[in-house]
Amino acid sequence: MSTAKCVGILTSGGDAPGMNAAIRAVTRSAIYNGMAVKGIYRGYKGLITGEIQEFKTQNVSNIIQRGGTLLKTARCMEFKTPEGRKQAYNKLVEEGIEALIVIGGDGTLTGARIFAQEFNYPIVGLPGTIDNDLFGTDVTIGYDTALNTIMECVDKIRDTATSHDRLFFIEVMGRDAGFLALNGAIASGAEAAIIPETSLENDQLEEMIKNGFRKSKNSSIVLVAESELTGGAIGIAERVKNEFPLFDVRVTILGHLQRGGSPSAQDRILATRMGIAAIDALLDDQRNVMIGIQNDQIVYVPFSKAIKNDKPINRELLNTLRVSSI
Ligand code: F6P
């Protein structure tokens, strides 16, 4: 049984729809279990500067449906230095915060891991990123909403692509992971996806053209995962213009609109379950673990595993896309 009487909560790195639902669940579960909760603004930055406020249950009312993060977020350079982390630790002691819940992606959990080791301090992480690239969890908070946003956008682009008989390369986020591109392509009926995970195995563009992907179609849509390995949508389109000049090519980069919007039911439920699990984990004396979900069961994943391993794509999905798009 943890003895923490006061927990701090922060969101850090890129925001993701569902972060608010997670903040709400953590806050309410902590209060339910007799703990005090302090909201830390702007991620690790606000921890260093002391932008901290006590949260009551009303502070998290009416936020489950909102995108973004009530606590704001930042990517903090100072926290990467020992001096910055020491300042952060001093602030925690000053505020009487005895454990931390951090919500974010790879960078956030990497920072948490270093800090937890350095100061022997209990931290529980929640996977909040649209990229879905954290190992040890089937899905991350925000991924489902982003996938739905991509699907809606591609549906719209499909209309104009069809009218003009065009080939569209649509770039989606994911950092170095192709989950959004691959599943976004399946969900929107795209003809192909170009993803970093298989970039070193074959020339995905050449293969696509060789297989006559456009044979019986007047428009085509290809989702391209942003990444140096894929070359991004602009890089791919340039190649097509040079190597296959007959195609009427256009590029759309979906960009940050993928990060916004009201979270889907899936993300709200996931974030709520994970938020409650984070407090349960602290009560269970777990520390330095990320809450994950595997086969609909909550699991604890050590930070070292969640961030160090590359999460593999499900290769069956490559075939699903290939077969469904002939
Ligand atoms: O990690 C989430 C993410 O949206 C990535 O998909 C993307 O590469 C990156 O963040 C963009 O970061 P920023 O908002 O700092 O431009």
Side-chain angles (χ1 to χ4, degrees):
M1 185 78 177
S2 163
T3 51
K5 293 273 180 303
C6 177
V7 294
I9 176 168
L10 61 82
T11 49
S12 160
D15 62 352
M19 280 183 162
N20 279 327
I23 294 167
R24 172 180 177 269
V26 167
T27 302
R28 296 207 166 153
S29 174
I31 293 170
Y32 178 86
N33 284 288
M35 301 171 184
V37 189
K38 290 194 173 175
I40 300 158
Y41 288 86
R42 294 184 175 78
Y44 296 125
K45 191 175 265 199
L47 184 53
I48 292 172
T49 58
E51 240 189 300
I52 300 172
Q53 179 196 354
E54 174 143 14
F55 270 15
K56 299 293 179 198
T57 174
Q58 309 86 275
N59 288 94
V60 293
S61 294
N62 200 17
I63 63 166
I64 192 169
Q65 76 280 21
R66 295 205 198 134
T69 161
L70 161 93
L71 284 173
K72 312 253 181 185
T73 186
R75 301 191 197 276
C76 177
M77 287 305 148
E78 297 96 298
F79 199 72
K80 292 190 173 164
T81 67
E83 298 76 31
R85 290 193 295 274
K86 181 78 178 96
Q87 277 176 285
Y89 179 73
N90 290 343
K91 198 54 83 179
L92 286 171
V93 174
E94 193 183 309
E95 290 279 340
I97 300 173
E98 293 159 334
L100 261 187
I101 311 280
V102 301
I103 310 172
D106 194 78
T108 303
L109 298 186
T110 302
R113 182 185 182 216
I114 296 169
F115 185 85
Q117 275 176 350
E118 227 163 39
F119 297 98
N120 187 26
Y121 190 89
I123 307 187
V124 172
L126 293 186
T129 167
I130 64 165
D131 301 339
N132 196 32
D133 59 347
L134 289 165
F135 187 88
T137 186
D138 292 345
V139 279
T140 56
I141 297 166
Y143 171 60
D144 182 66
T145 306
L147 210 44
N148 278 290
T149 301
I150 290 169
M151 185 182 71
E152 284 165 24
C153 292
V154 177
D155 286 351
K156 290 192 165 77
I157 293 171
R158 170 79 69 190
D159 292 343
T160 174
T162 309
S163 305
H164 288 266
D165 291 347
R166 277 177 175 155
L167 166 57
F168 267 86
F169 289 101
I170 303 177
E171 183 174 302
V172 299
M173 282 186 167
R175 204 178 294 271
D176 295 315
F179 297 97
L180 288 170
L182 183 54
N183 279 315
I186 293 172
S188 59
E191 277 61 42
I194 296 183
I195 58 172
E197 287 84 348
T198 56
S199 281
L200 299 176
E201 293 168 21
N202 58 7
D203 184 335
Q204 296 172 87
L205 176 65
E206 206 175 272
E207 177 132 318
M208 205 175 81
I209 306 266
K210 194 179 76 203
N211 291 342
F213 79 111
R214 235 174 155 235
K215 247 186 295 192
S216 58
K217 301 183 177 179
N218 61 359
S219 73
S220 295
I221 290 183
V222 177
L223 263 59
V224 183
E226 61 166 4
S227 161
E228 276 178 20
L229 286 174
T230 63
I234 293 176
I236 297 277
E238 278 306 313
R239 271 192 64 194
V240 173
K241 279 184 198 157
N242 293 330
E243 295 171 34
F244 310 95
L246 287 180
F247 289 124
D248 187 11
V249 178
R250 290 292 185 276
V251 168
T252 305
I253 297 175
L254 295 185
H256 287 79
L257 70 81
Q258 296 162 91
R259 287 234 299 261
S262 177
S264 66
Q266 291 269 26
D267 272 329
R268 296 181 197 193
I269 295 165
L270 179 71
T272 303
R273 288 180 72 186
M274 285 183 160
I276 288 174
I279 295 296
D280 288 347
L282 283 180
L283 290 170
D284 197 20
D285 258 344
Q286 296 284 335
R287 43 166 63 206
N288 315 335
V289 292
M290 178 191 84
I291 303 296
I293 192 149
Q294 293 173 13
N295 300 321
D296 205 35
Q297 298 299 314
I298 292 287
V299 292
Y300 300 146
V301 188
F303 285 155
S304 52
K305 279 205 172 148
I307 55 188
K308 279 272 172 279
N309 293 295
D310 273 340
K311 180 167 164 182
I313 50 154
N314 177 354
R315 299 190 76 96
E316 188 198 312
L317 297 175
L318 298 171
N319 195 46
T320 304
L321 177 59
R322 203 174 297 127
V323 174
S324 61
S325 64
I326 58 169

